[in-house]
Amino acid sequence: MFEKDEWTQQELFKYTKELDKQGIKVVLIDTVLKPLEKIETITYNPYEMNDYPKGSVFVFYCDTGKTTKERLNYYRNKFPDYKCVSLRGGRGYWRPNYQLLEEMN
């Protein structure tokens, strides 16, 4: 889960569900002042972000995902008590009607 620097939208939904069961908060961070549709996001604000519980996961996104992936080391240094990941493809690959469905046995 944390071996990769970026998560796809599918991985974001899947890992958020898994981490919620463990009591770990996953926060989607908007770095371009363009909120995504049908999901809760917060605007990049270091002061507000430091109020989240230690160990939370910050998923950063921009328009294409390239800038946030390049800045991951900066974010990781700025927020050492949190996990930092980039959203693959950013806003460009976001599918507002995407749903994670349970597998049928």
Side-chain angles (χ1 to χ4, degrees):
M1 173 180 317
F2 296 110
E3 301 86 37
K4 301 189 305 185
D5 287 339
E6 52 185 2
W7 289 352
T8 62
Q9 183 176 359
Q10 178 183 4
E11 290 170 328
L12 171 67
F13 289 160
K14 178 182 172 187
Y15 296 153
T16 299
K17 196 173 190 180
E18 289 176 18
L19 292 168
D20 276 345
K21 291 177 185 174
Q22 300 173 23
I24 299 172
K25 180 96 170 136
V26 177
V27 185
L28 198 54
I29 311 291
D30 176 2
T31 63
V32 289
L33 300 176
K34 298 175 187 172
L36 295 173
E37 294 179 44
K38 298 188 179 181
I39 192 165
E40 182 182 343
T41 65
I42 66 166
T43 303
Y44 178 75
N45 179 344
Y47 302 107
E48 178 184 353
M49 292 165 64
N50 279 316
D51 288 340
Y52 282 91
K54 305 269 188 259
S56 295
V57 180
F58 294 149
V59 182
F60 297 90
Y61 74 89
C62 59
D63 287 322
T64 63
K66 290 179 183 176
T67 304
T68 51
K69 186 174 180 190
E70 290 171 2
R71 291 184 184 161
L72 268 181
N73 284 334
Y74 168 78
Y75 295 137
R76 288 176 175 154
N77 289 332
K78 189 160 188 75
F79 304 105
D81 297 325
Y82 303 90
K83 300 279 189 191
C84 298
V85 181
S86 176
L87 181 65
R88 184 179 182 98
R91 286 180 46 81
Y93 279 29
W94 186 256
R95 303 295 173 251
N97 295 319
Y98 181 86
Q99 295 179 12
L100 192 61
L101 300 176
E102 297 292 325
E103 291 185 16
M104 298 176 66
N105 292 332

